[in-house]
Amino acid sequence: MYHNWLDRWDERRAWRGEEAKKVTDFILDAGRAFPGEKRIETIDEFCVLADQALCDSSWYDEPSGSGLSFERHDGWLRFPSDISTDVEENNVVWAKITESGSHDQALVIFHHWNANARNRQIAKFFSQRGITVVEIAMPYHFERSRPGSLYADYMLSSNLGRTIQSVRQAVWDGRKLIRWLKSEGYGEISVLGMSLGSWVAGIIAAHDRAVSKASLFLTAGSLADMVWTGRATRSIKNSLEPEIGLADLRRAWAPLNMENYADRLARSDLDLHVVLAKRDKVVLPELSERFTQRLKDAGARPNISELNCGHYSLGMPPYILLAGLSLKRFLSCTDKARRT
């Protein structure tokens, strides 16, 4: 009976903001995803470019000459993004820093899609335990929101090219922030990603050896499958379905699929922590299971915590407390303890 009530609560929570999500035009927009490639007119041509990006090991590397022009004031960090978009606000990255008084460890948090508040309680909890917490704003969120938008429609949408550009921008922004943290003397760098933020955090961990721990909440591998099957992305699927099938979407968004980076995530100097919700209707459990199995097949040994709740009810007691304690144990483990 309790879990039936929990499922209904998750469904009611899912309806919040649903009216703002409209069916929009399907657009390739290859020039945004792959600069210089503006004359792409077919999905097959787009997928060829996506295949090339996936095979390019440097595609998620920051551009050469990217500087560290950071402004820090009163607990906030501000710096320019290395991808320039047509939304001026989105071209400046903001991050909230909660200091711990120690430079031993820093945790960078990547929030969920359409987040409307930062994780103040998480930041306070870990900063009091010696971990400096940095909460970065992903593209088109918080201070970077597009004027007049009711949700972060430019971060994830039926515009294939803009979605790739946005995720790549989030990865570049995160890597630039991590480089700054290392220059400030922070030792161990960990990343925490929640839902859509877990894709960003995971891709960063796969490509940046400065990251030694990655915690992925409510995650899976294929972003295409998540959008096609998830409760929160029905409007995007309805926009895509008349024009493109799931197989083509998987190929078009192959650079965003963490399953394709399983070997990188399985590197010996990276520890993985995954928190999943067994009753999730946004990131379906079968997608998460496929991803974690792919990690194991690649040789990774992820620390997996499965809770009997939904996507949104993970934020309710007792589930958020269980997830928090699992994360605390993971971040507190020493190298010696993890290797034995």
Side-chain angles (χ1 to χ4, degrees):
M1 182 178 295
Y2 172 74
H3 288 110
N4 288 336
W5 173 85
L6 199 67
D7 291 341
R8 292 194 299 271
W9 186 92
D10 257 85
E11 178 61 21
R12 289 195 299 270
R13 171 60 182 80
W15 272 105
R16 293 184 189 175
E18 193 75 14
E19 293 181 357
K21 297 177 182 178
K22 305 296 183 182
V23 174
T24 56
D25 291 338
F26 166 75
I27 304 174
L28 290 177
D29 212 355
R32 292 188 191 275
F34 316 107
E37 303 287 351
K38 297 183 178 180
R39 295 190 176 182
I40 301 302
E41 297 180 354
T42 69
I43 186 61
D44 286 338
E45 292 174 316
F46 189 101
C47 288
V48 168
L49 296 177
D51 291 340
Q52 293 172 356
L54 180 62
C55 294
D56 182 358
S57 61
S58 65
W59 197 72
Y60 278 114
D61 290 348
E62 294 176 82
S64 59
S66 174
L68 289 178
S69 52
F70 283 65
E71 299 176 11
R72 184 173 182 175
H73 177 70
D74 196 25
W76 289 91
L77 198 63
R78 184 176 181 269
F79 61 95
S81 176
D82 288 320
I83 289 182
S84 180
T85 67
D86 51 3
V87 176
E88 184 177 350
E89 291 81 357
N90 183 52
N91 299 333
V92 178
V93 187
W94 290 80
K96 181 76 173 70
I97 303 179
T98 306
E99 289 283 4
S100 66
S102 168
H103 279 57
D104 290 342
Q105 188 174 1
L107 173 66
V108 181
I109 297 180
F110 298 86
H111 54 77
H112 59 82
W113 187 39
N114 298 318
N116 55 23
R118 286 183 167 86
N119 301 280
R120 182 176 58 84
Q121 292 180 323
I122 293 177
K124 180 180 179 181
F125 179 83
F126 284 106
S127 66
Q128 291 176 341
R129 287 158 178 79
I131 301 175
T132 293
V133 178
V134 187
E135 303 170 87
I136 189 171
M138 294 202 301
Y140 306 105
H141 288 81
F142 298 129
E143 301 83 7
R144 307 176 67 178
S145 296
R146 181 170 63 88
S149 63
L150 298 178
Y151 69 107
D153 54 339
Y154 275 21
M155 178 78 193
L156 183 63
S157 72
S158 57
N159 183 319
L160 301 190
R162 180 180 278 129
T163 297
I164 290 177
Q165 181 194 58
S166 297
V167 174
R168 192 186 193 194
Q169 183 178 31
V171 170
W172 280 10
D173 295 343
R175 295 191 68 179
K176 190 171 186 176
L177 173 58
I178 289 168
R179 189 155 57 92
W180 179 84
L181 288 168
K182 296 299 288 186
S183 75
E184 290 290 300
Y186 285 92
E188 185 173 84
I189 305 295
S190 304
V191 294
L192 166 62
M194 303 175 180
S195 195
L196 182 60
S198 73
W199 268 265
V200 177
I203 291 172
I204 289 173
H207 291 82
D208 199 326
R209 299 189 76 92
V211 176
S212 58
K213 296 179 183 178
S215 179
L216 310 177
F217 279 35
L218 304 172
T219 194
S222 171
L223 189 68
D225 281 84
M226 186 278 282
V227 165
W228 202 263
T229 60
R231 174 65 180 80
T233 50
R234 289 177 179 174
S235 62
I236 299 177
K237 181 191 177 183
N238 290 339
S239 301
L240 293 169
E241 199 166 20
E243 305 290 341
I244 186 175
L246 177 55
D248 281 337
L249 184 62
R250 286 171 177 159
R251 190 177 169 201
W253 281 352
L256 312 183
N257 185 345
M258 282 198 288
E259 290 178 18
N260 292 326
Y261 308 115
D263 291 340
R264 289 172 174 261
L265 288 167
R267 58 183 169 89
S268 61
D269 56 348
L270 176 66
D271 290 297
L272 296 174
H273 175 243
V274 179
V275 174
L276 304 175
K278 294 181 181 179
R279 313 179 78 83
D280 201 334
K281 298 297 191 296
V282 175
V283 182
L284 299 188
E286 51 263 39
L287 300 182
S288 301
E289 291 167 8
R290 189 175 76 190
F291 174 50
T292 54
Q293 186 59 53
R294 179 69 183 88
L295 290 174
K296 293 174 183 177
D297 291 344
R301 294 186 298 170
N303 180 333
I304 302 173
S305 177
E306 294 183 271
L307 303 176
N308 196 14
C309 62
H311 194 87
Y312 301 106
S313 50
L314 177 66
M316 296 173 56
Y319 307 109
I320 190 59
L321 300 176
L322 295 171
L325 289 173
S326 178
L327 176 60
K328 176 182 177 294
R329 287 192 295 268
F330 173 71
L331 295 178
S332 299
C333 283
T334 63
D335 288 338
K336 182 178 180 180
R338 294 196 308 269
R339 304 305 177 202
T340 57

